[in-house]
Amino acid sequence: MESLNEEIIGKALDYVRELFRTNAGGHDADHTLRVYRNTLLIAKEEPDCDLQVAALAALLHDADDHKLFHTENNANARAFLEANGLSPERIERICEAINSVSFSRNKGKRPCTPEGRVVQDADRLDAMGAIGVARAFAYGGEHGRPMSETVLHFHDKLLRLRDLMNTEAGRRIAERRHSFLERFLEEYYEETSGV
Ligand code: ADP
Ligand code: NI
């Protein structure tokens, strides 16, 4: 596996910290850092995955999220990548990977590149397990929703993610996080039943 260009990764880390400075909750810079870390873990086991493309796609995957920024055509990601001298060909590959991550944008279609598949798994893992529970309630709170409504999101979305993983490593980590979600719900229903 090729090694990462640490300098540009460091700059991308600084860039996203600044970009998400004002965002608390589900989409802060820490989410991006976790997705980046998951990406490295998964990519290790995917020989066809270009590590540099996947790492930068992970770090920039929410940089043009429409819920947060009013940009078109990956403008934030492109501005960063151009300023750091990446070739047009690599910029396209990174943007293609970023754009294939979102479920709703792609109507459930699997990403067609190895980098897209890796980053999609990495992003979905962050909606599962203990961190997934924390993010779901943070999201519900932010939107003024009662907890009972957030629990529905577990069934609508979070418990389905395990079976949507693209990679072996993703499936392995998802298995553990899925069990935790089930265990959490069991306890939650037990503790809240009859009230
Ligand atoms: P991303 O863009 O990172 O893939 P989303 O914007 O879909 O993720 O969601 C961000 C976080 O908020 C996730 O952890 C997700 O589970 C949570 N979330 C999204 N929609 C809801 C909802 N209706 N209720 C509770 N949590 C939600
Ligand atoms: Ni994300």
Side-chain angles (χ1 to χ4, degrees):
M1 196 160 74
E2 86 270 40
S3 62
L4 279 178
N5 174 341
E6 298 292 344
E7 193 188 339
I8 187 163
I9 296 295
K11 286 190 180 159
L13 287 166
D14 291 343
Y15 178 69
V16 295
R17 280 197 194 99
E18 180 59 25
L19 202 57
F20 292 107
R21 203 163 33 87
T22 54
N23 279 291
H27 271 110
D28 52 13
D30 288 348
H31 163 66
T32 288
L33 296 186
R34 291 189 300 268
V35 173
Y36 168 63
R37 198 182 53 188
N38 290 343
T39 292
L40 297 186
L41 273 177
I42 297 170
K44 268 204 303 218
E45 297 181 33
E46 296 293 313
D48 295 341
C49 179
D50 181 316
L51 190 60
Q52 188 83 20
V53 168
L56 287 169
L59 287 168
L60 296 167
H61 85 278
D62 275 338
D64 294 282
D65 187 308
H66 287 178
K67 295 187 286 303
L68 306 170
F69 306 106
H70 300 284
T71 52
E72 292 292 335
N73 192 26
N74 305 94
N76 284 338
R78 284 178 195 280
F80 171 82
L81 295 166
E82 280 164 18
N84 285 282
L86 271 94
S87 71
E89 185 261 339
R90 282 183 93 66
I91 295 177
E92 283 321 308
R93 285 183 62 189
I94 293 164
C95 290
E96 153 86 38
I98 292 172
N99 295 338
S100 67
V101 168
S102 155
F103 188 83
S104 48
R105 245 166 106 162
N106 296 285
K107 305 188 181 69
K109 227 174 66 222
R110 257 184 222 285
C112 358
T113 63
E115 297 80 20
R117 289 190 285 272
V118 167
V119 180
Q120 185 177 69
D121 280 6
D123 189 36
R124 286 175 169 172
L125 286 172
D126 207 48
M128 305 177 71
I131 189 65
V133 173
R135 288 180 80 211
F137 285 105
Y139 180 103
E142 242 170 50
H143 291 78
R145 303 209 177 125
M147 290 195 287
S148 55
E149 212 176 302
T150 295
V151 170
L152 297 179
H153 178 70
F154 283 66
H155 295 281
D156 292 344
K157 186 171 166 203
L158 307 187
L159 289 172
R160 297 180 200 274
L161 295 173
R162 175 187 63 177
D163 296 332
L164 297 173
M165 289 287 143
N166 304 305
T167 63
E168 267 314 303
R171 265 188 288 280
R172 224 170 37 238
I173 308 169
E175 197 60 57
R176 180 183 165 111
R177 294 189 183 201
H178 183 89
S179 304
F180 182 84
L181 288 179
E182 288 184 323
R183 178 95 182 89
F184 170 81
L185 284 175
E186 246 172 64
E187 291 279 322
Y188 183 88
Y189 289 130
E190 158 107 17
E191 292 169 20
T192 57
S193 70
V195 281

mmCIF file of all heavy atoms in Angstrom, residues 19-53:
data_model
loop_
_atom_site.group_PDB
_atom_site.id
_atom_site.type_symbol
_atom_site.label_atom_id
_atom_site.label_comp_id
_atom_site.label_asym_id
_atom_site.label_seq_id
_atom_site.Cartn_x
_atom_site.Cartn_y
_atom_site.Cartn_z
ATOM 1 N N LEU A 19 -13.324 24.798 9.039
ATOM 2 C CA LEU A 19 -14.622 24.767 8.342
ATOM 3 C C LEU A 19 -15.774 24.435 9.287
ATOM 4 O O LEU A 19 -16.861 24.986 9.185
ATOM 5 C CB LEU A 19 -14.533 23.702 7.239
ATOM 6 C CG LEU A 19 -15.468 23.753 6.054
ATOM 7 C CD1 LEU A 19 -15.361 25.077 5.311
ATOM 8 C CD2 LEU A 19 -15.134 22.600 5.085
ATOM 9 N N PHE A 20 -15.537 23.497 10.216
ATOM 10 C CA PHE A 20 -16.611 23.028 11.102
ATOM 11 C C PHE A 20 -16.579 23.715 12.468
ATOM 12 O O PHE A 20 -17.252 23.284 13.385
ATOM 13 C CB PHE A 20 -16.537 21.513 11.289
ATOM 14 C CG PHE A 20 -16.853 20.741 10.035
ATOM 15 C CD1 PHE A 20 -15.855 20.094 9.330
ATOM 16 C CD2 PHE A 20 -18.147 20.683 9.547
ATOM 17 C CE1 PHE A 20 -16.131 19.399 8.168
ATOM 18 C CE2 PHE A 20 -18.446 19.981 8.382
ATOM 19 C CZ PHE A 20 -17.437 19.344 7.692
ATOM 20 N N ARG A 21 -15.790 24.782 12.576
ATOM 21 C CA ARG A 21 -15.593 25.434 13.868
ATOM 22 C C ARG A 21 -16.919 25.775 14.548
ATOM 23 O O ARG A 21 -17.066 25.632 15.767
ATOM 24 C CB ARG A 21 -14.750 26.699 13.672
ATOM 25 C CG ARG A 21 -14.004 27.176 14.898
ATOM 26 C CD ARG A 21 -12.897 28.156 14.497
ATOM 27 N NE ARG A 21 -13.279 28.959 13.339
ATOM 28 C CZ ARG A 21 -13.950 30.106 13.394
ATOM 29 N NH1 ARG A 21 -14.315 30.607 14.540
ATOM 30 N NH2 ARG A 21 -14.252 30.767 12.283
ATOM 31 N N THR A 22 -17.889 26.196 13.742
ATOM 32 C CA THR A 22 -19.144 26.660 14.345
ATOM 33 C C THR A 22 -20.213 25.573 14.419
ATOM 34 O O THR A 22 -21.328 25.839 14.816
ATOM 35 C CB THR A 22 -19.708 27.845 13.533
ATOM 36 O OG1 THR A 22 -19.795 27.424 12.169
ATOM 37 C CG2 THR A 22 -18.813 29.053 13.650
ATOM 38 N N ASN A 23 -19.879 24.345 14.019
ATOM 39 C CA ASN A 23 -20.874 23.266 14.040
ATOM 40 C C ASN A 23 -20.698 22.343 15.240
ATOM 41 O O ASN A 23 -19.699 21.654 15.349
ATOM 42 C CB ASN A 23 -20.765 22.405 12.787
ATOM 43 C CG ASN A 23 -21.467 23.058 11.630
ATOM 44 O OD1 ASN A 23 -22.685 23.161 11.621
ATOM 45 N ND2 ASN A 23 -20.692 23.526 10.686
ATOM 46 N N ALA A 24 -21.710 22.297 16.088
ATOM 47 C CA ALA A 24 -21.655 21.326 17.185
ATOM 48 C C ALA A 24 -22.511 20.136 16.769
ATOM 49 O O ALA A 24 -23.166 20.183 15.737
ATOM 50 C CB ALA A 24 -22.195 21.956 18.456
ATOM 51 N N GLY A 25 -22.493 19.089 17.556
ATOM 52 C CA GLY A 25 -23.421 17.987 17.297
ATOM 53 C C GLY A 25 -22.928 17.024 16.237
ATOM 54 O O GLY A 25 -21.751 16.711 16.164
ATOM 55 N N GLY A 26 -23.850 16.547 15.411
ATOM 56 C CA GLY A 26 -23.579 15.431 14.512
ATOM 57 C C GLY A 26 -22.546 15.669 13.429
ATOM 58 O O GLY A 26 -21.965 14.724 12.909
ATOM 59 N N HIS A 27 -22.321 16.907 13.054
ATOM 60 C CA HIS A 27 -21.434 17.156 11.926
ATOM 61 C C HIS A 27 -20.250 18.018 12.286
ATOM 62 O O HIS A 27 -19.832 18.859 11.504
ATOM 63 C CB HIS A 27 -22.209 17.819 10.794
ATOM 64 C CG HIS A 27 -22.818 16.825 9.894
ATOM 65 N ND1 HIS A 27 -24.152 16.601 9.830
ATOM 66 C CD2 HIS A 27 -22.269 15.957 9.028
ATOM 67 C CE1 HIS A 27 -24.404 15.653 8.966
ATOM 68 N NE2 HIS A 27 -23.276 15.236 8.472
ATOM 69 N N ASP A 28 -19.686 17.799 13.455
ATOM 70 C CA ASP A 28 -18.538 18.611 13.807
ATOM 71 C C ASP A 28 -17.271 18.006 13.205
ATOM 72 O O ASP A 28 -17.311 16.967 12.546
ATOM 73 C CB ASP A 28 -18.435 18.760 15.326
ATOM 74 C CG ASP A 28 -18.473 17.406 16.004
ATOM 75 O OD1 ASP A 28 -18.325 16.383 15.314
ATOM 76 O OD2 ASP A 28 -18.652 17.378 17.225
ATOM 77 N N ALA A 29 -16.154 18.690 13.431
ATOM 78 C CA ALA A 29 -14.889 18.201 12.865
ATOM 79 C C ALA A 29 -14.550 16.815 13.405
ATOM 80 O O ALA A 29 -13.924 16.014 12.703
ATOM 81 C CB ALA A 29 -13.771 19.195 13.180
ATOM 82 N N ASP A 30 -14.982 16.518 14.613
ATOM 83 C CA ASP A 30 -14.665 15.194 15.183
ATOM 84 C C ASP A 30 -15.302 14.066 14.374
ATOM 85 O O ASP A 30 -14.722 12.995 14.255
ATOM 86 C CB ASP A 30 -15.132 15.099 16.641
ATOM 87 C CG ASP A 30 -14.258 15.934 17.558
ATOM 88 O OD1 ASP A 30 -13.179 16.378 17.112
ATOM 89 O OD2 ASP A 30 -14.655 16.152 18.717
ATOM 90 N N HIS A 31 -16.497 14.307 13.825
ATOM 91 C CA HIS A 31 -17.114 13.292 12.953
ATOM 92 C C HIS A 31 -16.191 13.026 11.761
ATOM 93 O O HIS A 31 -15.903 11.866 11.429
ATOM 94 C CB HIS A 31 -18.495 13.756 12.483
ATOM 95 C CG HIS A 31 -19.021 13.000 11.300
ATOM 96 N ND1 HIS A 31 -19.349 11.660 11.360
ATOM 97 C CD2 HIS A 31 -19.242 13.382 10.003
ATOM 98 C CE1 HIS A 31 -19.756 11.252 10.153
ATOM 99 N NE2 HIS A 31 -19.696 12.277 9.326
ATOM 100 N N THR A 32 -15.714 14.089 11.155
ATOM 101 C CA THR A 32 -14.799 13.938 10.013
ATOM 102 C C THR A 32 -13.537 13.178 10.426
ATOM 103 O O THR A 32 -13.071 12.304 9.687
ATOM 104 C CB THR A 32 -14.457 15.331 9.440
ATOM 105 O OG1 THR A 32 -15.618 15.832 8.767
ATOM 106 C CG2 THR A 32 -13.311 15.265 8.469
ATOM 107 N N LEU A 33 -12.995 13.489 11.593
ATOM 108 C CA LEU A 33 -11.774 12.793 12.050
ATOM 109 C C LEU A 33 -12.031 11.309 12.260
ATOM 110 O O LEU A 33 -11.194 10.472 11.930
ATOM 111 C CB LEU A 33 -11.239 13.414 13.347
ATOM 112 C CG LEU A 33 -10.771 14.857 13.235
ATOM 113 C CD1 LEU A 33 -10.122 15.317 14.539
ATOM 114 C CD2 LEU A 33 -9.791 15.027 12.081
ATOM 115 N N ARG A 34 -13.198 10.974 12.788
ATOM 116 C CA ARG A 34 -13.524 9.543 12.984
ATOM 117 C C ARG A 34 -13.699 8.842 11.642
ATOM 118 O O ARG A 34 -13.262 7.698 11.479
ATOM 119 C CB ARG A 34 -14.782 9.394 13.849
ATOM 120 C CG ARG A 34 -14.591 9.803 15.301
ATOM 121 C CD ARG A 34 -15.811 9.434 16.153
ATOM 122 N NE ARG A 34 -17.025 10.071 15.690
ATOM 123 C CZ ARG A 34 -17.494 11.238 16.124
ATOM 124 N NH1 ARG A 34 -16.858 11.906 17.069
ATOM 125 N NH2 ARG A 34 -18.621 11.723 15.631
ATOM 126 N N VAL A 35 -14.326 9.535 10.693
ATOM 127 C CA VAL A 35 -14.517 8.928 9.370
ATOM 128 C C VAL A 35 -13.150 8.721 8.700
ATOM 129 O O VAL A 35 -12.901 7.690 8.058
ATOM 130 C CB VAL A 35 -15.453 9.795 8.497
ATOM 131 C CG1 VAL A 35 -15.522 9.267 7.069
ATOM 132 C CG2 VAL A 35 -16.844 9.837 9.105
ATOM 133 N N TYR A 36 -12.268 9.662 8.884
ATOM 134 C CA TYR A 36 -10.900 9.538 8.355
ATOM 135 C C TYR A 36 -10.202 8.327 8.975
ATOM 136 O O TYR A 36 -9.608 7.495 8.282
ATOM 137 C CB TYR A 36 -10.137 10.834 8.648
ATOM 138 C CG TYR A 36 -8.651 10.763 8.416
ATOM 139 C CD1 TYR A 36 -8.136 10.530 7.139
ATOM 140 C CD2 TYR A 36 -7.751 10.942 9.470
ATOM 141 C CE1 TYR A 36 -6.753 10.469 6.932
ATOM 142 C CE2 TYR A 36 -6.383 10.887 9.267
ATOM 143 C CZ TYR A 36 -5.891 10.648 8.002
ATOM 144 O OH TYR A 36 -4.535 10.579 7.797
ATOM 145 N N ARG A 37 -10.311 8.197 10.270
ATOM 146 C CA ARG A 37 -9.663 7.069 10.958
ATOM 147 C C ARG A 37 -10.265 5.726 10.522
ATOM 148 O O ARG A 37 -9.542 4.768 10.255
ATOM 149 C CB ARG A 37 -9.790 7.255 12.476
ATOM 150 C CG ARG A 37 -8.813 6.425 13.259
ATOM 151 C CD ARG A 37 -9.019 6.612 14.731
ATOM 152 N NE ARG A 37 -10.418 6.367 15.091
ATOM 153 C CZ ARG A 37 -10.937 6.601 16.290
ATOM 154 N NH1 ARG A 37 -10.195 7.121 17.245
ATOM 155 N NH2 ARG A 37 -12.205 6.340 16.542
ATOM 156 N N ASN A 38 -11.583 5.669 10.426
ATOM 157 C CA ASN A 38 -12.229 4.440 9.939
ATOM 158 C C ASN A 38 -11.777 4.121 8.517
ATOM 159 O O ASN A 38 -11.589 2.950 8.162
ATOM 160 C CB ASN A 38 -13.762 4.595 9.932
ATOM 161 C CG ASN A 38 -14.364 4.646 11.326
ATOM 162 O OD1 ASN A 38 -13.723 4.258 12.297
ATOM 163 N ND2 ASN A 38 -15.592 5.144 11.427
ATOM 164 N N THR A 39 -11.633 5.164 7.714
ATOM 165 C CA THR A 39 -11.201 4.975 6.317
ATOM 166 C C THR A 39 -9.824 4.315 6.267
ATOM 167 O O THR A 39 -9.602 3.375 5.495
ATOM 168 C CB THR A 39 -11.184 6.339 5.583
ATOM 169 O OG1 THR A 39 -12.539 6.791 5.454
ATOM 170 C CG2 THR A 39 -10.554 6.241 4.209
ATOM 171 N N LEU A 40 -8.898 4.786 7.097
ATOM 172 C CA LEU A 40 -7.545 4.194 7.099
ATOM 173 C C LEU A 40 -7.613 2.725 7.506
ATOM 174 O O LEU A 40 -6.948 1.870 6.919
ATOM 175 C CB LEU A 40 -6.611 4.961 8.036
ATOM 176 C CG LEU A 40 -6.335 6.428 7.690
ATOM 177 C CD1 LEU A 40 -5.280 7.000 8.644
ATOM 178 C CD2 LEU A 40 -5.879 6.595 6.244
ATOM 179 N N LEU A 41 -8.421 2.437 8.528
ATOM 180 C CA LEU A 41 -8.563 1.058 9.007
ATOM 181 C C LEU A 41 -9.091 0.132 7.913
ATOM 182 O O LEU A 41 -8.575 -0.967 7.700
ATOM 183 C CB LEU A 41 -9.578 1.012 10.158
ATOM 184 C CG LEU A 41 -9.082 1.257 11.563
ATOM 185 C CD1 LEU A 41 -10.268 1.245 12.529
ATOM 186 C CD2 LEU A 41 -8.066 0.183 11.941
ATOM 187 N N ILE A 42 -10.130 0.595 7.218
ATOM 188 C CA ILE A 42 -10.778 -0.241 6.197
ATOM 189 C C ILE A 42 -9.885 -0.358 4.962
ATOM 190 O O ILE A 42 -9.734 -1.448 4.389
ATOM 191 C CB ILE A 42 -12.155 0.343 5.820
ATOM 192 C CG1 ILE A 42 -13.088 0.335 7.036
ATOM 193 C CG2 ILE A 42 -12.782 -0.433 4.676
ATOM 194 C CD1 ILE A 42 -14.377 1.113 6.832
ATOM 195 N N ALA A 43 -9.272 0.767 4.568
ATOM 196 C CA ALA A 43 -8.477 0.794 3.326
ATOM 197 C C ALA A 43 -7.284 -0.164 3.399
ATOM 198 O O ALA A 43 -6.862 -0.709 2.384
ATOM 199 C CB ALA A 43 -8.005 2.218 3.042
ATOM 200 N N LYS A 44 -6.780 -0.376 4.608
ATOM 201 C CA LYS A 44 -5.646 -1.310 4.803
ATOM 202 C C LYS A 44 -5.923 -2.675 4.198
ATOM 203 O O LYS A 44 -5.031 -3.391 3.809
ATOM 204 C CB LYS A 44 -5.422 -1.524 6.304
ATOM 205 C CG LYS A 44 -4.434 -0.593 6.939
ATOM 206 C CD LYS A 44 -3.833 -1.188 8.206
ATOM 207 C CE LYS A 44 -4.870 -1.568 9.241
ATOM 208 N NZ LYS A 44 -4.530 -1.340 10.616
ATOM 209 N N GLU A 45 -7.205 -3.049 4.188
ATOM 210 C CA GLU A 45 -7.580 -4.385 3.714
ATOM 211 C C GLU A 45 -8.159 -4.372 2.301
ATOM 212 O O GLU A 45 -8.681 -5.373 1.842
ATOM 213 C CB GLU A 45 -8.607 -5.001 4.685
ATOM 214 C CG GLU A 45 -8.026 -5.194 6.063
ATOM 215 C CD GLU A 45 -9.024 -5.821 7.025
ATOM 216 O OE1 GLU A 45 -9.852 -6.632 6.584
ATOM 217 O OE2 GLU A 45 -8.976 -5.472 8.219
ATOM 218 N N GLU A 46 -8.096 -3.223 1.650
ATOM 219 C CA GLU A 46 -8.646 -3.108 0.285
ATOM 220 C C GLU A 46 -7.514 -2.768 -0.678
ATOM 221 O O GLU A 46 -7.184 -1.594 -0.865
ATOM 222 C CB GLU A 46 -9.728 -2.015 0.245
ATOM 223 C CG GLU A 46 -10.951 -2.290 1.079
ATOM 224 C CD GLU A 46 -11.768 -3.465 0.571
ATOM 225 O OE1 GLU A 46 -12.032 -3.553 -0.637
ATOM 226 O OE2 GLU A 46 -12.142 -4.327 1.405
ATOM 227 N N PRO A 47 -6.926 -3.764 -1.309
ATOM 228 C CA PRO A 47 -5.742 -3.528 -2.150
ATOM 229 C C PRO A 47 -6.008 -2.588 -3.329
ATOM 230 O O PRO A 47 -5.097 -1.899 -3.783
ATOM 231 C CB PRO A 47 -5.359 -4.917 -2.662
ATOM 232 C CG PRO A 47 -6.395 -5.861 -2.189
ATOM 233 C CD PRO A 47 -7.284 -5.182 -1.206
ATOM 234 N N ASP A 48 -7.250 -2.521 -3.812
ATOM 235 C CA ASP A 48 -7.530 -1.662 -4.969
ATOM 236 C C ASP A 48 -7.787 -0.213 -4.592
ATOM 237 O O ASP A 48 -7.984 0.633 -5.461
ATOM 238 C CB ASP A 48 -8.780 -2.164 -5.715
ATOM 239 C CG ASP A 48 -8.542 -3.527 -6.310
ATOM 240 O OD1 ASP A 48 -7.355 -3.895 -6.465
ATOM 241 O OD2 ASP A 48 -9.536 -4.233 -6.595
ATOM 242 N N CYS A 49 -7.815 0.059 -3.296
ATOM 243 C CA CYS A 49 -8.171 1.407 -2.853
ATOM 244 C C CYS A 49 -6.940 2.315 -2.859
ATOM 245 O O CYS A 49 -5.920 1.987 -2.253
ATOM 246 C CB CYS A 49 -8.773 1.315 -1.440
ATOM 247 S SG CYS A 49 -9.229 2.888 -0.752
ATOM 248 N N ASP A 50 -7.024 3.442 -3.535
ATOM 249 C CA ASP A 50 -5.943 4.444 -3.524
ATOM 250 C C ASP A 50 -6.055 5.214 -2.201
ATOM 251 O O ASP A 50 -7.008 5.959 -1.981
ATOM 252 C CB ASP A 50 -6.123 5.379 -4.729
ATOM 253 C CG ASP A 50 -5.040 6.445 -4.810
ATOM 254 O OD1 ASP A 50 -4.703 7.045 -3.767
ATOM 255 O OD2 ASP A 50 -4.546 6.675 -5.919
ATOM 256 N N LEU A 51 -5.038 5.014 -1.363
ATOM 257 C CA LEU A 51 -5.128 5.535 0.004
ATOM 258 C C LEU A 51 -5.218 7.058 0.061
ATOM 259 O O LEU A 51 -5.968 7.616 0.854
ATOM 260 C CB LEU A 51 -3.909 5.037 0.810
ATOM 261 C CG LEU A 51 -3.967 5.294 2.298
ATOM 262 C CD1 LEU A 51 -5.176 4.617 2.929
ATOM 263 C CD2 LEU A 51 -2.681 4.821 2.971
ATOM 264 N N GLN A 52 -4.431 7.709 -0.779
ATOM 265 C CA GLN A 52 -4.435 9.176 -0.773
ATOM 266 C C GLN A 52 -5.810 9.729 -1.192
ATOM 267 O O GLN A 52 -6.326 10.658 -0.571
ATOM 268 C CB GLN A 52 -3.357 9.671 -1.743
ATOM 269 C CG GLN A 52 -3.121 11.162 -1.702
ATOM 270 C CD GLN A 52 -2.170 11.556 -0.574
ATOM 271 O OE1 GLN A 52 -1.416 10.735 -0.076
ATOM 272 N NE2 GLN A 52 -2.224 12.796 -0.171
ATOM 273 N N VAL A 53 -6.386 9.126 -2.212
ATOM 274 C CA VAL A 53 -7.709 9.566 -2.678
ATOM 275 C C VAL A 53 -8.753 9.318 -1.585
ATOM 276 O O VAL A 53 -9.565 10.185 -1.252
ATOM 277 C CB VAL A 53 -8.109 8.834 -3.995
ATOM 278 C CG1 VAL A 53 -9.580 9.055 -4.336
ATOM 279 C CG2 VAL A 53 -7.215 9.295 -5.145
#
